[in-house]
Amino acid sequence: MAPKNDGPTKKVMNKGAWTAEEDRRLAEYIEIHGAKRWKTVATKSGLNRCGKSCRLRWLNYLRPNIKRGNISDEEEDLILRLHKLLGNRWSLIAGRLPGRTDNEIKNYWNSHLSKKINQKEKTVATSTAPEANPQKAWGVEEGE
DNA sequence: AATGCACACAACCGCGACACC
DNA sequence: TGGTGTCGCGGTTGTGTGCAT
């Protein structure tokens, strides 16, 4: 499909998956000028992307020292404990896991751990004879 | 071999916080 | 002190891929 004429004033930003060329340009720009003023990064680097998009791409994918995939048992355990402590404060949790990003942890939680926890809760609920104390077994507190 | 489904991950969106003028 | 612009975060959606039927 041939692109339509967008008109003289309106500039349409790129969306969707990043290309290798875009990655290269972003990394190159940040290497020279640093990762600050994302709006400027977006415009000056010549990428037709918004600052937000550049920031996300850099933090979650291009930044050096990023660990990707293979979350170890220790890391998983740490995530579980930190989540219990902090709740959905993914950036704080990520801060405790060197090389991991908040987005990755959030994704991991949503696809793996939330299910695990649901299953755990179910087994606990069934194993602790509900008829002895039904309210506690179903997590019902008087104040609620 | 084709199709449908579930899962994993990348990216977008909306909103609140913060900095600067 | 209020207004405006930018950033950062969390929630959500879109898309690609592998697996089962």
Side-chain angles (χ1 to χ4, degrees), chain A residues 17-18 28-30 33 42 49 55 57-58 64 70 86 88-89 93 98 100 108 111 113 115-118:
Chain A
W18 281 66
E28 200 175 86
Y29 183 92
I30 288 174
H33 298 93
R49 297 270 184 179
R55 177 186 161 274
R57 185 64 179 172
W58 173 256
N70 294 328
L86 303 167
N88 293 0
R89 312 288 297 278
I93 295 173
R100 299 293 183 186
Y108 188 73
S111 52
L113 299 181
K115 277 180 206 162
K116 257 193 187 178
I117 284 188
N118 275 344

Side-chain angles (χ1 to χ4, degrees), chain A residues 79-93:
Chain A
I79 292 169
L80 282 166
R81 284 190 296 166
L82 286 169
H83 184 267
K84 214 171 185 179
L85 207 67
L86 303 167
N88 293 0
R89 312 288 297 278
W90 305 116
S91 58
L92 286 179
I93 295 173

Side-chain angles (χ1 to χ4, degrees), chain A residues 13-68:
Chain A
M13 290 286 170
N14 270 355
K15 273 192 178 183
W18 281 66
T19 64
E21 171 65 13
E22 286 177 312
D23 282 346
R24 194 188 58 75
R25 284 172 87 152
L26 179 61
E28 200 175 86
Y29 183 92
I30 288 174
E31 202 169 299
I32 296 166
H33 298 93
K36 50 190 176 183
R37 305 291 301 176
W38 288 109
K39 187 122 193 267
T40 315
V41 171
T43 49
K44 299 263 173 153
S45 62
L47 293 163
N48 196 21
R49 297 270 184 179
C50 65
K52 260 185 181 185
S53 187
C54 293
R55 177 186 161 274
L56 202 69
R57 185 64 179 172
W58 173 256
L59 291 179
N60 291 322
Y61 199 85
L62 299 174
R63 205 163 42 127
N65 307 323
I66 280 196
K67 278 194 233 167
R68 303 183 56 75

Side-chain angles (χ1 to χ4, degrees), chain A residues 1 4 8 14 16-17 20 23 30 32 45 49 68 75-78 96 114 135 139:
Chain A
M1 225 197 283
K4 279 186 187 168
N14 270 355
D23 282 346
I30 288 174
I32 296 166
S45 62
R49 297 270 184 179
R68 303 183 56 75
E75 285 176 311
E76 187 181 304
D77 185 55
L78 192 56
R96 303 272 173 173
S114 60
Q135 281 198 329

